[in-house]
Amino acid sequence: MDPRIEKRLGLKQLVDKVVSADEAAALISDGDVVGMSGFTRAGDAKVVPMALAERAKNEKFKIDIYTGASLGPEVDKYLAEAGAIRKRGPFIGDPGIRNLINSGEVTYVDAHLSHNAELVRQGIIGPIKYLIMEAAAITEDGLIIPTTSVGNSPIFAQYAENIIIELNLSHPESLIGIHDIYVPAQQGEREPIPMTNVKERLGEIGIRVAPEKIKAIVVSEEPDAPSLIVPPDEETQNMANILLDFFRSEIKAGRLTNSLMPLQSGVGSVANAVLDGFADSEFENLVVASEVLQDAVFNLIDAGKVSFAAATSITLSEELQKKVYGNLERYADKLCLRPQEISNHPELIRRLGLISINTALELDIYGNVNSTHVSGTKMMNGIGGSGDFARNARLGIFVTKSYAKGGAISSIVPMVSHVDHTEHDVDVIVTEQGIADLRGLAPKERAALIIENCAHPDFKEQLRDYYNRAVEATGNSQTPHILEEALSWHVNLAKNKTMKKEVTNA
């Protein structure tokens, strides 16, 4: 046996479980519900899904796949396009599976990421026939050490009938020790989660399972797919500066200190760029309590700004992968990866007082946010953890550019075409145009502030016109809308490929 495998496989009774990817894939049957490790293209199984995709070229079968969040191309592109996925949840990111979802070929269950573990406990998701999980090692006492994400793997491992392990030798052994696996008991029987500080550790360094559940171990050396974030541009840098000035005003008002409160930043380029803006600021001793640690977090650790970072996943660009994983020992004492039902747990988010920064797809003049659906019908990625954080955070902040598609689309509309976060969960909105602090404001106060501070100049007059006519038409009601026109911007976009229209004066 390869000495590298022998070193990583501490539980020697499992040596005879080492098989090929094809042999492991053959264990999966048509109709199975399969749990898979992975969260935002990190820590996901790779070689067994590819073997399943090859098998699907010659054999018709479909399985339901539940994960932590989005996976790399092995599942969400190749396996999906092979026609082997019937149902998928709770979050996606690859255009391959997105297209299949939007054409109705794959059924998609979009869900708050903190809720999935409870659905497994209640049997709503399941019974899970197999968990396919990537691991860095299996210890002598039987702990499965995850790689670069934890996600839903602990709850899947607890409830799955069988487990297939992908032992990935490309991940550094220094991952051992950064995980904190704590799984709450059944509702009605559980104790309060004993965490009052992000740095506290609650559980074990790995996932404890009965060894007899492990039916196959497949050796892998496939790295994580790199993240898809793009570098900050002038507009996202401006958004970062606007947000930093807002934090300074909160400090001046006595609501925050120079180390702020624990920071959460959502998945994606805009949120990552905004977080990157802290690098050259006066803020220091920052703590991150997020679901994903992206490039910006490690840049801030390097800059001496972040003292500790906890999440359920590490998702990095190719450049940062080489830098971080090639020298993980430098970062290990500042990192902790937890199950997503802990990283995203509403009780902890509220208790710890997080500042939450997430990306909006579109928002309306009253502060309702759409994170998921293009024009109300086409799925983009999913709600992810944004709802977990926004509703329970000390500050629920949403960032977005004020326009899209070269200026044809306004990100601020009279009424969102799909609501993921109601106005009650949205505290602050930031675009490259400015900021709207919505706390303590009534709907009409919000509308005036959002239009004036956050809308793109090309759409401001159009928004003012709609709002003023809505006020007149409804007799200055609590939340003025002209129902026949509220979604007319999206109708115009569908017909004419633009939201711009001639403004008429009523």
Side-chain angles (χ1 to χ4, degrees):
M1 177 179 286
D2 186 328
R4 297 177 302 161
I5 301 173
E6 192 171 4
K7 187 177 181 182
R8 301 279 188 111
L9 193 51
L11 200 60
K12 301 308 177 188
Q13 69 193 74
L14 296 175
V15 169
D16 62 354
K17 298 294 184 183
V18 176
V19 298
S20 70
D22 289 338
E23 289 173 296
L27 298 173
I28 307 297
S29 300
D30 180 46
D32 281 352
V33 177
V34 178
M36 288 195 182
S37 67
F39 194 105
T40 57
R41 298 166 63 92
D44 48 340
K46 303 171 182 70
V47 294
V48 176
M50 286 302 291
L52 282 168
E54 283 297 311
R55 180 180 152 196
K57 293 178 180 178
N58 304 303
E59 176 187 346
K60 286 190 175 182
F61 68 94
K62 286 187 180 291
I63 58 178
D64 294 356
I65 295 178
Y66 293 93
T67 66
S70 58
L71 302 186
E74 294 83 5
V75 171
D76 283 348
K77 176 174 173 60
Y78 298 115
L79 188 58
E81 292 177 348
I85 301 177
R86 185 186 77 92
K87 180 180 282 189
R88 177 76 168 84
F91 188 86
I92 56 98
D94 193 285
I97 196 164
R98 180 186 301 125
N99 293 337
L100 293 170
I101 290 167
N102 286 323
S103 66
E105 296 174 64
V106 173
T107 302
Y108 179 54
V109 183
D110 185 27
H112 295 297
L113 296 186
S114 71
H115 289 189
N116 282 261
E118 301 296 358
L119 296 177
V120 173
R121 287 190 182 92
Q122 295 166 27
I124 305 299
I125 294 175
I128 300 172
K129 191 69 175 179
Y130 276 90
L131 163 63
I132 307 175
M133 177 187 169
E134 185 176 82
I138 302 176
T139 66
E140 292 180 2
D141 56 350
L143 290 176
I144 302 174
I145 306 298
T147 57
T148 49
S149 72
V150 179
N152 277 320
S153 293
I155 196 70
F156 289 158
Q158 186 173 326
Y159 282 86
E161 296 174 20
N162 309 284
I163 298 174
I164 296 171
I165 299 292
E166 282 197 12
L167 190 64
N168 194 318
L169 303 180
S170 74
H171 290 294
E173 288 182 72
S174 47
L175 282 169
I176 299 173
I178 73 166
H179 307 90
D180 179 28
I181 309 302
Y182 176 91
V183 181
Q186 291 277 359
Q187 288 178 323
E189 301 173 6
R190 69 180 57 159
E191 297 291 326
I193 299 171
M195 182 187 294
T196 57
N197 186 297
V198 176
K199 300 178 182 180
E200 289 177 325
R201 288 183 172 269
L202 310 178
E204 297 186 282
I205 63 168
I207 301 170
R208 190 170 294 280
V209 302
E212 57 269 20
K213 270 192 176 186
I214 300 175
K215 305 303 182 184
I217 297 172
V218 179
V219 177
S220 168
E221 296 192 57
E222 295 296 321
D224 286 341
S227 72
L228 302 176
I229 60 173
V230 297
D233 58 22
E234 183 178 348
E235 290 176 328
T236 52
Q237 185 60 54
N238 189 45
M239 293 160 68
N241 293 337
I242 290 169
L243 193 50
L244 292 177
D245 283 341
F246 168 74
F247 291 139
R248 292 180 183 110
S249 69
E250 289 293 286
I251 293 171
K252 188 174 181 180
R255 288 188 283 266
L256 290 173
T257 68
N258 202 48
S259 58
L260 304 179
M261 296 293 281
L263 296 168
Q264 178 264 332
S265 176
V267 178
S269 301
V270 176
N272 183 76
V274 170
L275 196 60
D276 235 343
F278 283 97
D280 296 322
S281 73
E282 73 276 20
F283 301 100
E284 57 188 4
N285 198 30
L286 300 171
V287 171
V288 174
S290 195
E291 55 185 2
V292 178
L293 304 181
Q294 298 187 104
D295 286 18
V297 173
F298 292 90
N299 291 336
L300 292 174
I301 291 174
D302 289 341
K305 298 294 184 180
V306 166
S307 61
F308 194 81
T312 195
S313 170
I314 301 173
T315 303
L316 302 174
S317 65
E318 188 172 2
E319 179 184 353
L320 262 289
Q321 280 186 357
K322 293 175 183 176
K323 177 181 178 182
V324 172
Y325 299 141
N327 190 22
L328 189 60
E329 296 84 357
R330 180 182 174 204
Y331 301 95
D333 64 340
K334 298 178 178 66
L335 301 177
C336 182
L337 294 182
R338 300 185 168 110
Q340 69 193 66
E341 69 170 321
I342 300 301
S343 66
N344 292 38
H345 201 290
E347 175 190 351
L348 296 178
I349 294 166
R350 182 70 61 87
R351 182 188 300 164
L352 297 171
L354 266 60
I355 295 172
S356 171
I357 307 168
N358 288 286
T359 305
L361 193 62
E362 69 175 0
L363 58 101
D364 67 28
I365 57 176
Y366 298 112
N368 300 289
V369 168
N370 171 12
S371 293
T372 56
H373 286 73
V374 176
S375 291
T377 61
K378 297 292 186 182
M379 172 58 64
M380 179 57 72
N381 297 322
I383 193 169
S386 56
D388 297 327
F389 290 97
R391 172 156 290 187
N392 300 286
R394 177 189 180 104
L395 276 171
I397 301 168
F398 281 90
V399 298
T400 181
K401 292 189 178 183
S402 65
Y403 67 95
K405 297 296 180 183
I409 295 175
S410 174
S411 300
I412 299 173
V413 293
M415 179 184 284
V416 287
S417 56
H418 179 90
V419 181
D420 291 297
H421 313 284
T422 73
E423 60 191 273
H424 312 293
D425 301 332
V426 181
D427 295 318
V428 177
I429 291 166
V430 179
T431 73
E432 83 288 352
Q433 300 296 322
I435 187 168
D437 182 354
L438 307 180
R439 294 174 295 175
L441 299 186
K444 292 194 287 289
E445 293 174 309
R446 291 190 213 115
L449 197 61
I450 291 170
I451 293 171
E452 294 308 314
N453 288 7
C454 298
H456 192 278
D458 289 354
F459 291 98
K460 277 189 180 181
E461 190 56 40
Q462 196 172 324
L463 287 166
R464 290 191 196 106
D465 173 71
Y466 171 83
Y467 174 72
N468 290 334
R469 289 186 296 110
V471 169
E472 183 177 347
T474 61
N476 201 25
S477 61
Q478 170 73 0
T479 307
H481 269 304
I482 305 171
L483 295 182
E484 308 90 83
E485 291 188 32
L487 295 174
S488 64
W489 291 40
H490 301 87
V491 175
N492 189 33
L493 176 64
K495 288 181 178 179
N496 303 312
K497 299 190 184 329
T498 181
M499 286 185 172
K500 292 179 180 176
K501 62 181 179 181
E502 200 70 35
V503 175
T504 58
N505 293 318

